[in-house]
Amino acid sequence: MNARFTAGHWGFTLIEMVVTVAIVGLLASIALPLAEVGIKRSKEYELRLALREIRTALDAYRQAVEEGRVAHVMQESGYPESLQVLVDGVPDASSPDGKKRIHFLRRIPRDPLFPDPNQADAETWGKRSYASSYEAPEEGEDVFDVYSLASGTGLNGIPYRRW
């Protein structure tokens, strides 16, 4: 019988334990950054989806104005006054009785990167009016576009505000 396995000599040596702890530590140091990148990537994916959903609704609203389904004043841009209008809906001008409403969103998506969880969903977005420039977006009488108010840069190297 092997002398190592005699009574009272069961267990691991100190060197075996140190090597095991070193290997586990190395694996953990590799896995943690990958997990952080994965979380950031999923939040950025949610941001892309939310921006696409709102922008599609804004375009659909503008299309409804051009088709005459939404009444508006000719001097106006043809975009909604707020994001809430897209959820609340507007009267369908093409409806014979005028009681039908057109809804463009079920709910306003939240900016997944916005830091304050107590803020209302509509307030997590920066709003750009039709009259403002792309370089210096400002709120105005309408909502032409939205952008993220989150600070930071995406994995693609572009600041979130420019998405």
Side-chain angles (χ1 to χ4, degrees):
M1 184 166 191
N2 190 344
R4 184 168 184 238
F5 295 108
T6 58
H9 292 285
W10 290 92
F12 296 103
T13 65
L14 180 61
I15 292 186
E16 290 172 328
M17 292 296 287
V18 169
V19 169
T20 303
V21 169
I23 291 172
V24 170
L26 179 66
L27 291 174
S29 68
I30 292 171
L32 187 62
L34 289 176
E36 289 174 354
V37 169
I39 291 169
K40 186 173 184 177
R41 183 175 288 126
S42 70
K43 286 196 178 272
E44 288 182 3
Y45 178 74
E46 290 176 32
L47 175 62
R48 276 190 201 93
L49 288 178
L51 285 169
R52 184 176 298 131
E53 184 178 358
I54 294 172
R55 288 173 175 162
T56 300
L58 289 169
D59 291 343
Y61 183 95
R62 174 72 174 152
Q63 183 69 32
V65 167
E66 289 176 0
E67 292 171 354
R69 295 184 66 201
V70 175
H72 79 288
V73 179
M74 289 305 291
Q75 291 81 17
E76 293 179 0
S77 66
Y79 288 95
E81 306 86 45
S82 69
L83 293 177
Q84 193 60 42
V85 170
L86 300 172
V87 175
D88 296 341
V90 292
D92 186 350
S94 66
S95 171
D97 60 1
K99 294 182 180 181
K100 186 176 177 186
R101 296 184 71 78
I102 307 170
H103 298 271
F104 300 93
L105 286 174
R106 291 184 181 182
R107 64 172 186 81
I108 299 170
R110 182 175 191 77
D111 182 348
L113 300 174
F114 193 77
D116 185 6
N118 298 323
Q119 201 75 9
D121 293 345
E123 301 305 316
T124 62
W125 299 103
K127 294 151 196 85
R128 175 181 161 215
S129 74
Y130 185 76
S132 73
S133 69
Y134 173 76
E135 292 80 24
E138 295 178 3
E139 289 191 40
E141 297 177 2
D142 59 10
V143 180
F144 172 69
D145 195 14
V146 294
Y147 57 92
S148 178
L149 294 174
S151 61
T153 303
L155 292 172
N156 59 2
I158 299 172
Y160 294 127
R161 289 178 172 261
R162 297 287 179 201
W163 282 27

